[in-house]
Amino acid sequence: MKLKICGMKYQENIEAVAALKPDYLGFIFYENSPRNFEGEIPKLPSAIKKVGVFVDASVDFIVEKVKQYDFKAIQLHGNETPLFCQELNYSLNRPHRSSRPVRSNQIKLWKVFSIKDQFDFNRLQPYEGIVDYFLFDTKGKEKGGNGYTFDWSVLKGYPSSTPFILSGGIGLDETEAIVSFKKRPESKYLHAIDVNSKFESEPGVKKTENLEKFIKLVISA
């Protein structure tokens, strides 16, 4: 099980969090978010994959950020359609007339679905074979970073073979619940845990000591 730490914003904090060797670091490009990223990303260890997080952005905008920051995964957190995902895949994979392709085939597409206390899994079907991972987040006022979990029992009997990422209000208080979840049959499709606001002192500033505890209790266990 891998770990993604999302909502990175400040260079010094990015470097401190990177020292903990998470699998993914997420950078949000959404002006309405207090974690909206601007500036430069410091050089990271090659094992850490950078994830660009977008909300109903245009294909051109996403491609521009991939070129700028060399993202290895794109997380779509809005109302992006299967057709949009196909178009984005095409734009990221195909060579352009005036430049080299912006990426290899290694970039992954993550599509976010928000859940509260129920979910219609039929919504996933049109995205099957188009996106690489589903990410299940808590349905709330904000597009992520709401600070509370959804009812994970909704995922019982997960009907897809597409791996998923578990997100939404996960902090140190959820360590026992995650350990328990890892014993459930559907956990064989659990690719990663995504954490954000529960490990912050303020938006975009992560508490490295709490992250270190979480890694020892959940990820390394």
Side-chain angles (χ1 to χ4, degrees), residues 21-159:
K21 301 179 181 179
D23 300 282
Y24 301 99
L25 285 180
F27 300 85
I28 296 170
F29 297 88
Y30 180 53
E31 289 185 354
N32 292 334
S33 170
R35 302 169 186 85
N36 185 51
F37 185 79
E38 297 175 325
E40 297 299 320
I41 299 175
K43 184 174 177 59
L44 301 176
S46 59
I48 299 177
K49 295 179 175 66
K50 292 176 285 188
V51 182
V53 181
F54 301 89
V55 180
D56 296 322
S58 69
V59 168
D60 287 345
F61 181 77
I62 296 172
V63 168
E64 174 191 337
K65 296 305 177 185
V66 170
K67 287 180 178 179
Q68 183 176 356
Y69 295 109
D70 191 28
F71 290 124
K72 299 304 181 188
I74 300 299
Q75 178 177 321
L76 300 174
H77 216 299
N79 298 305
E80 297 87 1
T81 65
L83 179 60
F84 178 89
C85 295
Q86 288 180 317
E87 291 175 350
L88 179 59
N89 260 328
Y90 182 88
S91 295
L92 292 173
N93 279 308
R94 297 289 181 175
H96 296 258
R97 293 178 182 176
S98 59
S99 66
R100 63 178 177 82
V102 298
R103 60 121 164 171
S104 71
N105 290 328
Q106 295 177 343
I107 281 193
K108 305 297 184 183
L109 281 189
W110 302 7
K111 182 67 186 84
V112 177
F113 293 89
S114 297
I115 298 176
K116 189 174 183 182
D117 51 12
Q118 59 184 357
F119 183 71
D120 179 7
F121 285 100
N122 290 323
R123 292 176 57 196
L124 304 181
Q125 199 282 326
Y127 295 88
E128 298 281 3
I130 299 174
V131 303
D132 299 281
Y133 299 99
F134 297 127
L135 187 150
F136 298 120
D137 194 12
T138 302
K139 188 173 185 178
K141 182 180 179 181
E142 306 297 335
K143 292 285 188 179
N146 286 287
Y148 53 93
T149 61
F150 66 90
D151 182 0
W152 296 349
S153 67
V154 171
L155 297 174
K156 184 177 181 180
Y158 179 64

Side-chain angles (χ1 to χ4, degrees), residues 3-14:
L3 175 65
K4 171 175 171 265
I5 303 171
C6 198
M8 305 308 303
K9 189 167 183 177
Y10 302 104
Q11 181 159 340
E12 191 172 309
N13 190 238
I14 293 169

Side-chain angles (χ1 to χ4, degrees), residues 20 172 199 206-215:
L20 300 176
L172 283 172
F199 288 94
K206 303 299 186 285
K207 298 178 181 178
T208 54
E209 65 276 13
N210 287 358
L211 284 167
E212 189 170 13
K213 289 178 185 177
F214 185 80
I215 290 169

